[in-house]
Amino acid sequence: MDRPLQCLPKMEYISGRSGERFKSLSRPSAQPMRIKEVSLDACTRLSTKMVEFDRLLGGGIVAGSLTLVGGDPGIGKSTLMLQLAHKLAEQGLLVLYVCGEESVEQTSLRARRLGVGHDSLYLLSETLFSQIKHHVDRLQPQVLIVDSIQILYKGELPSSPGSVAQVRELATEFMHLAKGLGIATFLIGHVTKSGEIAGPKVLEHIVDTVLDFEGDRQHGYRLMRSVKNRFGPTEDIVLFQMGIEGLSEVSNLFGRAH
Ligand SMILES: Nc1ncnc2c1ncn2[C@@H]1O[C@H](COP(=O)(O)OP(=O)(O)OP(=O)(O)O)[C@@H](O)[C@H]1O
Ligand SMILES: [Mg+2]
């Protein structure tokens, strides 16, 4: 299957060299274009094959977009993202799932329970950003899922994983990776005690889309809300039902799952 086309000019990603980390590959450098002359054919959306979730995103996932998925511990973030990874891999898309919080074996165990497993779906248990970037460069996935942003770290920074400095810097790195290589990227983020994702709104400004996963862990229903979306509306919600086989969408409040 063809790689999705990109909305942005291809960039060379050079990590570590401050000031010139992102060098445009287009030679000569980009020129101003009349807005009417910009071809929108290059803006691809990937269908998640989950009708309600596609709708929440504004019609599917935009290639090269960066989405933050936030929620309380244990609410089902990893479950949903693993199911999403499977649905995308089933379509022939190359998906890399970085399971920093769990081992590959633990994630595989959950995957088996959910019936998730496809040749195009790769797992990587790694927390050091430079290593993750190395594997992204090598594998060139079309979709990247990071579980979670708070557990990763950049070796160059003195602060510990989950600190505002680490989280902000990592999100910026992933933003450039997503835009530069056209990778649809999802960052899972825990909600802090004050109800914010990774501290004082640090991430919300950097990413394209913010999805909030809410619900009562004692009950089966979960709500996903779009808090910010550069490519779609924000007034929508999606209802999910948690079961043994994972999360299924509920198309109305009377429990008609599909
Ligand atoms: N065998 C099972 N049958 C039904 N539901 C299960 C089963 N195992 C786990 N769950 C559900 O999955 C939830 C945990 O989901 P998941 O690990 O995806 O959450 P998370 O948001 O990623 O958590 P964390 O913040 O710890 O990473 C549990 O709270 C439970 O509701
Ligand atoms: Mg998890």
Side-chain angles (χ1 to χ4, degrees), residues 64-67 179 204 206-210 228-231:
S65 63
L66 183 62
T67 303
K179 307 289 176 205
E204 297 191 10
I206 299 168
V207 301
D208 296 313
T209 303
V210 179
K228 168 185 170 178
N229 193 350
R230 286 183 177 150
F231 313 112

Side-chain angles (χ1 to χ4, degrees), residues 139-155:
L139 201 61
Q140 298 267 309
Q142 286 146 307
V143 181
L144 173 65
I145 298 172
V146 176
D147 191 358
S148 70
I149 187 79
Q150 277 111 337
I151 200 80
L152 305 193
Y153 69 101
K154 280 191 76 179

